[in-house]
Amino acid sequence: MAISSPILDIQHATVYRGDTLVFSDFSFVLQAGEHAAIVGPNGAGKSTLSNVLTGRDGYTLGGSVDFDGEDLLAMEPEDRANAGLFLAFQHPTEIPGVGNMYFLRAALNAVRRERGLDEIAAVDFLTLAKEHMARLDMDPAFLSRSVNDGFSGGEKKRNEVLQMSLLEPRLAILDEIDS
C-alpha cells in the first residue's frame, strides 16, 4: 500500500515579526483527512502560524512548508487560497457596503476559475448557498447583509463556516474556532 505525501509538512519553522522571535524550530506534519489542534497559551504563536501559512505580510519565516507537495512559501496568498488553503480568522473583518451574497459568489467563482470550472450564475449560486445554509441551520437573511457588518462574534464564525462549506478547501485552518 502506497503512503501518500502529507497535505501539510512544516519543517523547522522559525518566525519573526520584525526583530521579535515568535517561535522557533517548529515542525508539524498533517496527512490528508486528519484533524489536528494546536493549543497553547496566549502569545505562543498559534495565530501567527495561521497568518504565516496564508501569506500575511510582516513576518519572516525560516524553514520549509509544503502544501500538498508544493512549496507553500513560494506561493502568493491568492495562489495559496486557489490551491485550497482556507483560514477562518480569529477576528473576521467587517466589510460594510459589500453584500455577503456578492462576496461569497465572487470567492466561489475565483476558486472555480482556478479549477477550470465555469463560473456559477447568480440564480444558481443562490440555490447552492441556501442548500449550504440549510445544512448549517443558518438564516438565508445572512446573504442580504454586508459581509460581517453588525454580525455578532458567533454570526461571524458561522459566516466563515458557510464560506468554508461553499469553497470546499483542501485544508481549513480555524483560528479560535471555540469562540
Side-chain angles (χ1 to χ4, degrees), residues 28-82:
F28 178 81
V29 176
L30 183 71
Q31 298 294 331
E34 286 184 334
H35 299 88
I38 298 175
V39 296
N42 290 344
K46 301 177 302 293
S47 293
T48 295
L49 177 62
S50 301
N51 287 321
V52 166
L53 291 177
T54 56
R56 185 170 179 178
D57 287 335
Y59 298 94
T60 304
L61 175 67
S64 67
V65 181
D66 286 345
F67 174 61
D68 210 13
E70 301 291 324
D71 180 2
L72 186 73
L73 304 180
M75 301 167 79
E76 294 296 322
E78 59 273 14
D79 295 327
R80 296 172 193 203
N82 286 331

Side-chain angles (χ1 to χ4, degrees), residues 12-146:
H12 308 289
T14 298
V15 175
Y16 286 88
R17 183 166 182 129
D19 292 332
T20 304
L21 175 66
V22 181
F23 60 82
S24 64
D25 202 27
F26 176 78
S27 295
F28 178 81
V29 176
L30 183 71
Q31 298 294 331
E34 286 184 334
H35 299 88
I38 298 175
V39 296
N42 290 344
K46 301 177 302 293
S47 293
T48 295
L49 177 62
S50 301
N51 287 321
V52 166
L53 291 177
T54 56
R56 185 170 179 178
D57 287 335
Y59 298 94
T60 304
L61 175 67
S64 67
V65 181
D66 286 345
F67 174 61
D68 210 13
E70 301 291 324
D71 180 2
L72 186 73
L73 304 180
M75 301 167 79
E76 294 296 322
E78 59 273 14
D79 295 327
R80 296 172 193 203
N82 286 331
L85 185 62
F86 178 87
L87 172 62
F89 294 100
Q90 183 174 353
H91 301 289
T93 303
E94 295 182 9
I95 312 174
V98 176
N100 205 30
M101 185 167 119
Y102 173 81
F103 174 79
L104 292 169
R105 182 172 164 247
L108 179 60
N109 278 333
V111 169
R112 289 177 64 86
R113 279 191 304 274
E114 184 64 25
R115 294 177 182 166
L117 301 172
D118 291 334
E119 291 189 10
I120 188 166
V123 68
D124 296 328
F125 175 77
L126 183 59
T127 300
L128 179 67
K130 286 182 176 180
E131 288 171 5
H132 284 256
M133 294 177 92
R135 278 184 262 160
L136 297 169
D137 197 27
M138 288 180 71
D139 184 346
F142 271 74
L143 293 175
S144 63
R145 296 168 68 182
S146 291

